[in-house]
Structures are given as structure tokens and as C-alpha cells.
């Protein structure tokens, strides 16, 4: 990246060029591309536990369709019918949820992954690093509950997903989730800006379930 991204005369602040680059990364980072086959087969086995996958869509308040999947272990139903809803990072997609599948599904816990609006295969042109994404979380949580897919829900967010989980839980008096895991949430918006313009914007690749 050009050294002009930071203004050396203003305490390493972003230059005009840096601000343009950063703004572009905020509203339109590279969109993760994948096919439904990258989510693995609809019937699979992970750590000797049979798993099924069902894909579905949820409409958010902006009339954008969110592409979602739920992986269900074919085990005895656990107390509370638990489920983890995974929230992916910036420039990523629901396939990122597969990384935690071995830590969730073999223990009788369902797993939901979805593409935030503006990401992956969901509708929308832009992302907001959590501002609108937190609303997506609410609609997916409500869908899971209303369709009796699960009742005892936990959020597991990574990077932008972790920041989104924090925003979601902090935005309502009684969050409809039991707990949350925040993996690498933003510590500072300034540091986030520096990371973007310097090219440190990690994306996740699609992968099959680890057996």
C-alpha cells in the first residue's frame, strides 16, 4: 500500500487517500464467493455423529434476504434444545461457521451460520461493520425460535461478528440469547482503520466439515 495512506504530519492520522481507501473497505469490502457445495453435503458425519444441514432464508427489516444454514446433530435431544448462531467476520461468509462445527455438533448442539446483509450470498450492496448487521442477528434469532429450530441460543462471533454480537446484546434490555462468545472483537475503531488500509483484512476460505 502507498505510504500516503497515513499523514506523517498529523500523528499518523489517515491521509485523504487513506480515508478513501478505508471508506471503500467499510462499505464494500471484497465479497466472499462460494457455492452451496462448499458448505458440505446435506447429510454428513463429524466425529462419528451424523449431521444434517438445512438451508433457509430470512428477510430483514430492509427487505433483504439473508442466506442461512442450520446443521443438526442426529443425537438425543439435549435439555434446552441448544444452538450456537455463528457470526462471521468482515469479507467472509457463513462457511466460516464450519470451523467451529467439531466443537459444537458432536455434543448435541445445533449450529446456525448465515451471511450478513451485503456479505456472501445474502442480498445487499454494503456492510456497516455491525450497525445494520446487529439487526440481521435479531431476525435470525427470532426465526430460529419461532420455527422451533432451537430455544437455548448462544452467539459466537468472530471479528466483525464479535463486534456485532456486542452491539446486538447492548441494544436491547433483555437479549433473547443465553450467552455469547466474542472472538477478536474490535478494540479500537482507529486500530481497525489502520488495519484495513494497511491490507490486514483477513478473510476466511470455504472448507468442509472436519471429520
Amino acid at each position: 500500500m502507498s505510504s500516503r495512506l497515513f499523514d506523517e504530519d498529523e500523528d499518523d492520522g489517515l491521509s485523504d487517500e487513506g480515508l478513501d481507501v478505508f471508506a471503500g473497505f467499510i462499505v464494500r469490502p471484497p465479497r466472499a464467493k462460494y457455492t452451496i457445495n462448499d458448505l458440505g453435503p446435506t447429510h454428513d458425519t463429524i466425529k462419528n455423529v451424523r449431521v444434517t444441514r438445512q438451508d433457509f432464508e430470512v428477510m430483514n427489516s430492509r427487505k433483504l434476504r439473508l442466506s442461512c444454514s442450520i446443521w443438526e446433530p442426529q443425537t438425543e435431544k439435549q435439555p434446552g434444545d441448544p444452538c450456537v448462531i455463528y457470526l462471521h467476520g468482515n469479507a467472509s461468509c457463513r462457511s466460516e461457521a464450519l470451523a467451529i462445527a467439531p466443537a459444537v455438533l458432536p455434543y448435541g448442539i445445533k449450529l446456525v451460520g448465515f451471511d450478513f446483509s451485503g456479505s456472501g450470498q445474502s442480498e445487499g450492496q454494503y456492510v456497516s461493520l455491525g450497525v445494520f448487521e446487529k439487526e440481521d442477528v435479531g431476525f435470525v434469532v427470532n426465526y430460529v425460535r419461532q420455527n422451533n429450530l432451537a430455544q437455548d441460543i448462544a452467539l459466537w462471533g468472530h471479528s466483525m461478528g464479535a463486534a456485532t454480537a456486542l452491539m446486538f446484546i447492548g441494544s436491547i434490555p433483555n437479549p433473547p440469547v443465553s450467552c455469547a462468545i466474542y472472538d477478536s472483537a474490535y478494540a479500537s475503531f482507529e486500530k481497525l482503520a489502520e488495519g484495513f488500509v494497511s491490507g490486514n483484512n483477513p478473510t476466511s476460505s470455504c472448507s468442509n466439515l472436519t471429520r
Side-chain angles (χ1 to χ4, degrees):
M1 300 294 288
S2 169
S3 60
R4 293 177 56 197
L5 293 178
F6 294 93
D7 191 335
E8 296 181 356
D9 297 327
E10 296 187 7
D11 299 325
D12 291 330
L14 290 173
S15 66
D16 290 343
E17 182 182 351
L19 286 172
D20 288 340
V21 172
F22 179 51
F25 268 119
I26 288 180
V27 299
R28 184 59 277 159
R31 185 186 287 264
K33 296 180 179 180
Y34 68 98
T35 69
I36 204 69
N37 291 332
D38 292 316
L39 299 176
T42 56
H43 293 79
D44 207 347
T45 300
I46 175 171
K47 291 188 175 180
N48 299 317
V49 173
R50 294 182 61 81
V51 175
T52 62
R53 192 195 83 239
Q54 179 182 351
D55 304 315
F56 60 96
E57 292 184 338
V58 172
M59 186 82 71
N60 68 12
S61 60
R62 293 179 293 152
K63 306 302 180 184
L64 299 174
R65 292 184 178 86
L66 308 177
S67 296
C68 316
S69 297
I70 182 169
W71 289 266
E72 300 186 60
Q74 303 304 297
T75 59
E76 183 177 350
K77 190 172 182 178
Q78 300 297 308
D81 196 14
C83 175
V84 170
I85 297 180
Y86 187 83
L87 312 179
H88 67 74
N90 191 41
S92 190
C93 60
R94 60 180 150 165
S95 70
E96 192 178 303
L98 296 175
I100 70 166
V104 174
L105 296 172
Y107 303 97
I109 302 172
K110 299 174 183 177
L111 175 62
V112 169
F114 71 96
D115 296 337
F116 285 120
S117 52
S119 297
Q121 296 183 358
S122 288
E123 294 181 339
Q125 293 300 314
Y126 307 107
V127 301
S128 62
L129 298 180
V131 177
F132 288 115
E133 286 80 5
K134 70 177 184 294
E135 298 178 2
D136 294 343
V137 175
F139 280 94
V140 173
V141 169
N142 288 338
Y143 181 95
V144 169
R145 286 189 178 280
Q146 292 172 2
N147 288 274
N148 296 315
L149 297 179
Q151 293 302 317
D152 195 1
I153 296 174
L155 300 180
W156 186 328
H158 170 67
S159 188
M160 182 181 78
T164 298
L166 283 165
M167 292 181 196
F168 172 72
I169 289 176
S171 67
I172 49 182
N174 297 299
V177 297
S178 300
C179 64
I181 297 173
Y182 311 113
D183 174 12
S184 307
Y186 312 139
S188 154
F189 196 76
E190 180 180 353
K191 293 297 183 183
L192 178 67
E194 293 177 1
F196 275 135
V197 298
S198 65
N200 296 323
N201 183 26
T203 60
S204 294
S205 60
C206 299
S207 62
N208 292 326
L209 292 177
T210 302
R211 291 170 178 76

